[in-house]
Amino acid sequence: MSIYAIGDIQGCFDELLRLLDTISFNEQSDQLWFAGDLVNRGPKSLETLRFVKSLGDSAITVLGNHDLHLLAASCAPKIANKKDSLLPILEAPDRDELIDWLRHRPLFHFNEDFCLVHAGLPPQWDFKRTQKMALLAEQALRGPDYRAFLKQMYGNKPNIWSSNLKGVEKLRFIINCFTRMRYCDVNGRLDFVNSGPLGSQPKSLVPWFEAPKRKNADLRIIFGHWSALGYYEGPNCYAIDTGCLWGGQLTALKLGESVQRFSIDCPESKKPNKSYLAVAS
């Protein structure tokens, strides 16, 4: 079996199909790992969601910030804004089935060789704590009170890990790490302002994967979310959001002892702004 990790799609369904043709994906023998943000802003979020769901065990997807935004909008439609393209999903006859499927997706996935997250991990979390924190947030999203949690999910505080965090604040921090983080300071304090390429950040900030004394540095982590970073391969980390939505590329990594990259060029669906490719943080 071949495993391919695929970067943020955000509703670019036609490009996804082209990429799957490029890698000769076989649903019977291969597995796809999606790095989150299946939906929003691209032209075919509904088709993308239906397709990935239809793949069953041939596809694993972790939740991204745009996927969570869809879940929140399904509970409170006023949360959606003009930039969103979620209405076809929210008005679809199979809407409830799709939403229920999506909220049961994980925040963290792994096998014996690789880990998959949408955005990143704080430096204080080792593998066991990462598993525990993912499970805690997943239980909230899958539980009977998930609507109440989704309404309280948004916010930038707390922005640093503490074992004393409790309740909604703890869950919000967990969600922000898995789905929103890019830069942090040397103590692991999350920054939600800067989203540009490496070198554009203030000197006080580092990309999360370069935080000093990072307890998860031994994990081979694949992540998306950061289109301005582009494809990046560093010590035990692989960034695979290559800006398909913005006219960049859609990327798949074939996972093995070494990784093999496949990318296709994409037509521009959205106009890049001054922060290039800064998807909603």
Side-chain angles (χ1 to χ4, degrees):
M1 177 181 75
S2 296
I3 299 176
Y4 297 89
I6 296 179
D8 303 32
I9 300 166
Q10 290 197 253
C12 295
F13 180 59
D14 294 341
E15 289 73 17
L16 172 60
L17 294 185
R18 285 201 290 119
L19 180 61
L20 296 186
D21 284 342
T22 298
I23 63 176
S24 299
F25 169 63
N26 185 330
E27 185 178 343
Q28 305 305 315
S29 59
D30 299 333
Q31 188 175 65
L32 305 177
W33 287 16
F34 291 99
D37 280 1
L38 296 180
V39 301
N40 206 14
R41 298 196 173 176
K44 294 184 178 181
S45 289
L46 175 59
E47 292 87 344
T48 301
L49 199 57
R50 284 173 171 165
F51 175 73
V52 175
K53 178 178 177 293
S54 76
L55 292 175
D57 292 340
S58 295
I60 302 290
T61 182
V62 293
L63 290 167
N65 53 306
H66 284 281
D67 305 316
L68 289 171
H69 186 57
L70 169 59
L71 294 180
S74 73
C75 301
K78 290 182 180 179
I79 287 176
N81 61 51
K82 295 180 189 176
K83 296 179 181 179
D84 296 334
S85 59
L86 302 176
L87 198 59
I89 299 173
L90 297 175
E91 294 182 345
D94 53 346
R95 160 211 158 110
D96 291 345
E97 182 181 343
L98 292 169
I99 294 298
D100 187 66
W101 175 83
L102 188 63
R103 72 182 181 90
H104 284 80
R105 296 311 95 202
L107 288 161
F108 179 60
H109 178 70
F110 61 92
N111 64 13
E112 61 273 14
D113 298 312
F114 293 92
C115 298
L116 179 70
V117 297
H118 177 61
L121 299 178
Q124 300 92 340
W125 293 0
D126 59 12
F127 177 71
K128 287 186 177 180
R129 187 176 292 276
T130 297
Q131 281 186 290
K132 184 177 179 180
M133 295 303 101
L135 181 60
L136 192 66
E138 289 161 7
Q139 288 172 338
L141 289 167
R142 298 169 185 179
D145 298 326
Y146 75 94
R147 292 180 179 85
F149 167 63
L150 287 167
K151 291 176 182 178
Q152 302 175 75
M153 175 181 65
Y154 292 95
N156 295 339
K157 299 289 185 176
N159 61 2
I160 191 166
W161 170 251
S162 168
S163 58
N164 295 322
L165 290 176
K166 296 180 181 179
V168 171
E169 287 197 340
K170 185 173 187 176
L171 291 171
R172 186 184 299 125
F173 180 81
I174 294 169
I175 290 288
N176 282 342
C177 289
F178 280 119
T179 69
R180 295 183 61 208
M181 70 183 300
R182 295 184 180 98
Y183 289 109
C184 63
D185 69 13
V186 293
N187 297 312
R189 189 179 305 275
L190 309 186
D191 172 79
F192 297 111
V193 175
N194 295 274
S195 59
L198 297 183
S200 66
Q201 79 274 21
K203 292 182 179 180
S204 60
L205 299 178
V206 295
W208 67 265
F209 48 83
E210 291 183 2
K213 299 179 180 179
R214 184 164 62 90
K215 291 184 177 180
N216 45 67
D218 59 324
L219 305 179
R220 297 178 79 186
I221 302 174
I222 301 164
F223 64 99
H225 183 59
W226 199 345
S227 55
L229 178 63
Y231 181 76
Y232 178 86
E233 188 173 329
N236 280 354
C237 67
Y238 306 85
I240 60 172
D241 179 3
T242 46
C244 176
L245 180 71
W246 310 98
Q249 294 183 321
L250 187 61
T251 290
L253 287 187
K254 186 176 183 180
L255 306 184
E257 187 173 337
S258 60
V259 300
Q260 184 178 0
R261 178 186 175 188
F262 301 85
S263 295
I264 60 163
D265 293 330
C266 302
E268 185 177 304
S269 294
K270 292 288 181 181
K271 296 290 184 182
N273 58 27
K274 63 182 180 181
S275 59
Y276 173 59
L277 324 175
V279 186
S281 65

